[in-house]
Every structure is written in C-alpha cells, then in structure tokens.
C-alpha cells in the first residue's frame, strides 16, 4: 500500500481505521518515552505516570511533566517561582479524592471528577491565581488513577461521540451530571467497539508488541482522531503512524477491513 493522502484520509475517517490507529497510539504512548520538540523535554510514558500514581501522590516534577505532555493546566505551571510547592499541593488535594473511589460507575467517576475540580481550584486560588483548563486536567488525571474504567475527555472525543451515537452532549461539560451522561454514553459506544478493539490488541500482541491492558483508552484515542476537523491533520497522523515498520505492518494486516 502506498499510504497516499486519499488512503490515509479514508482510513482515518472510519471507526475501524481509527480504532486500529488508536490501538497502536495507545500502546506507543504507554511504553515509549518521546523527546518533545520543545526545550528538550522527554515526556513520561503513561506507564510511568500510572506507576507513580499507584505509589502515592504525584511528585511536583511528574505532575509538571504530565501537564506539559498533555498540554493542560497552563497555570500553575507558570510562573516558575513557587511552582514546585503549588504542584505538590495540587497533588495532595487530588490524591485522596481519586484514590478513594468506592466504585468506578459513570456516576461515581463523574462525582469524583467534580470534587477534584473544586479541590484543585481551591488550591490554585489560595496561591492567588485562576486555573486554566481545569476540567480537562482533572478528567485526564482521573484516567491515570482508574485506567481500566475511566476515559480522557476532550472536545474532540466528545464531538466524535456525538456523531457516532447521534447524541447531543454539550461542547463544554460544566456539571457532574453532564460528565456522568458523557461517561455513560462512552460506555455504550465501548460495548459496540470492544470486539474490534480486542482483535486489534490481540494481533499487536501476537506480533510482539506486548499486551496493552486498557481497552477503553483505545476507544478514547480513536474518538480523538475521529473528532479532528482538519483533513490534513488526520492524514498527518495516519502517515506518521505508518512510518514505523511495526505499526505499518499491523495496519496493513487489517487493510481489507480498513478499506471497508
């Protein structure tokens, strides 16, 4: 296959194509630290962040690396003065809320998400600032505490979920009730996509890529790609994946289904 622009766009705009890309992208982000183009920062892998969460509250350094990698929470990363103390206080506020989850039902996760937003906002305000991207930060952190049950929310995923299910979730989630509805519909779509996700991850494993343990993250990644508006960006993401021989071989194994 040539992996020209038309092929990449067609594959990236289908659910199965996006799931295949998502399975590879989730695996890559789990195990492969990447040197970012900005200031020689090497992002932590998802595996490193999950391990750090399980050991206890995140260190200020790990929380900073996470926020830089996922491009959330611009404050309190800046200004640099007092940043370590601010981040440590945020980790201390967040940890008992997410660690003490009584269950992982959508309603529970949504309630904890809202509690975390309030707790982290209080810490930031106590330092004399207003937080940025707080909802996204707290939802993404929720996944690191409960990667087998939670998902990372952003407007791309929400846009794609609405399109896939015909739902009308608002572009900005403002309440725990809205978050609960989003997570419940994410679970509904996951039930539809799970067989395909399992086949994709099983093939990756049989080809020597290891077993990725968090199926929902694959759907989250796929929704992100499906939610991208710009065709050029979809093409870029598919071509970037295909440049790696292992990833390309996996995608071409599923080529008949990818082409539909």
């Amino acid at each position: 296959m040539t992996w020209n622009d038309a092929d990449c766009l067609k594959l990236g705009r289908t659910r199965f194509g996006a799931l295949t890309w998502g399975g590879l992208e989730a695996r890559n982000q789990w195990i492969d630290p990447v040197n970012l183009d900005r200031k020689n920062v090497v992002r932590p892998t998802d595996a490193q962040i999950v391990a750090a969460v399980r050991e206890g509250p995140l260190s200020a350094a790990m929380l900073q690396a996470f926020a830089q990698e996922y491009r959330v929470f611009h404050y309190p990363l800046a200004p640099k003065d007092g940043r370590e103390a601010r981040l440590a206080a945020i980790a201390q506020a967040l940890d008992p809320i997410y660690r003490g989850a009584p269950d992982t039902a959508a309603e529970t996760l949504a309630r904890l998400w809202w509690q975390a937003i309030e707790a982290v906002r209080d810490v930031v305000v106590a330092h004399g600032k207003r937080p940025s991207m707080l909802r996204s930060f707290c939802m993404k952190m929720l996944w690191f505490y409960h990667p087998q049950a939670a998902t990372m929310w952003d407007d791309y995923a929400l846009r794609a979920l609405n399109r896939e299910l015909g739902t009308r979730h608002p572009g900005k989630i403002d309440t725990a009730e809205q978050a609960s509805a989003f997570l419940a519909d994410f679970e509904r779509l996951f039930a539809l996509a799970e067989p395909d996700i399992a086949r994709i991850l099983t093939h990756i494993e049989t080809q020597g890529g290891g077993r990725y343990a968090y199926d929902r993250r694959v759907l989250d990644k796929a929704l992100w790609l499906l939610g991208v508006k710009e065709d050029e960006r979809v093409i870029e993401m598919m071509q970037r994946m295909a440049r790696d021989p292992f990833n390309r071989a996996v995608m071409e194994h599923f080529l008949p289904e990818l082409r539909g």
Side-chain angles (χ1 to χ4, degrees):
M1 179 178 175
T2 59
W3 292 96
N4 59 39
D5 288 0
D7 289 327
C8 288
L9 183 60
K10 181 179 179 180
L11 303 185
R13 290 300 190 192
T14 65
R15 185 192 298 179
F16 192 85
L19 287 172
T20 303
W21 179 89
L24 291 165
E25 177 68 8
R27 167 193 173 271
N28 294 346
Q29 196 160 5
W30 181 256
I31 63 174
D32 293 334
V34 173
N35 188 283
L36 302 177
D37 292 334
R38 48 192 186 279
K39 297 182 180 179
N40 296 318
V41 175
V42 177
R43 72 161 168 81
T45 67
D46 283 355
Q48 289 171 330
I49 300 175
V50 168
V53 163
R54 288 173 177 169
E55 292 172 2
L58 290 177
S59 67
M62 182 61 82
L63 194 56
Q64 177 181 340
F66 155 77
Q68 288 175 325
E69 160 60 11
Y70 283 87
R71 302 187 182 187
V72 295
F73 220 29
H74 300 156
Y75 182 84
L77 292 183
K80 292 182 179 180
D81 291 346
R83 179 168 59 192
E84 184 173 352
R86 291 194 299 271
L87 292 175
I90 288 166
Q92 290 289 343
L94 188 73
D95 189 74
I97 296 171
Y98 282 170
R99 190 177 300 282
D103 59 68
T104 53
E107 296 83 359
T108 301
L109 294 178
R111 177 174 52 82
L112 296 179
W113 172 71
W114 196 254
Q115 289 178 5
I117 290 172
E118 295 296 328
V120 174
R121 179 184 290 117
D122 288 346
V123 171
V124 175
V125 170
H127 283 84
K129 296 291 184 179
R130 294 182 61 186
S132 64
M133 303 184 74
L134 187 54
R135 291 172 174 82
S136 180
F137 165 79
C138 289
M139 183 64 86
K140 287 175 171 61
M141 281 305 309
L142 179 62
W143 184 83
F144 286 104
Y145 276 85
H146 302 286
Q148 292 179 312
T151 183
M152 293 189 185
W153 164 82
D154 62 26
D155 55 352
Y156 287 8
L158 192 145
R159 183 187 305 132
L161 182 75
N162 281 339
R163 187 167 60 246
E164 290 291 307
L165 292 179
T167 51
R168 294 185 177 181
H169 295 285
K172 183 179 179 182
I173 294 179
D174 285 321
T175 67
E177 290 74 21
Q178 290 173 343
S180 178
F182 165 75
L183 291 171
D185 279 336
F186 180 90
E187 286 299 306
R188 185 156 63 95
L189 183 58
F190 177 72
L192 299 175
E194 188 174 14
D196 284 336
I197 293 172
R199 286 196 300 118
I200 292 165
L201 294 182
T202 296
H203 180 71
I204 290 173
E205 181 182 24
T206 61
Q207 298 306 301
R211 181 67 188 190
Y212 184 72
Y214 304 116
D215 296 15
R216 285 168 177 80
R217 183 71 167 130
V218 175
L219 177 58
D220 178 78
K221 287 285 190 181
L223 287 175
W224 183 90
L225 187 66
L226 291 170
V228 171
K229 289 183 177 180
E230 302 84 4
D231 288 349
E232 296 79 7
R233 196 171 183 192
V234 174
I235 292 168
E236 176 191 356
M237 300 307 292
M238 293 295 292
Q239 288 182 338
R240 182 184 302 174
M241 187 68 72
R243 284 198 290 269
D244 178 89
F246 178 87
N247 295 335
R248 179 169 179 153
V250 169
M251 288 193 288
E252 291 185 348
H253 170 81
F254 291 109
L255 192 56
E257 291 176 82
L258 292 174
R259 282 179 167 163

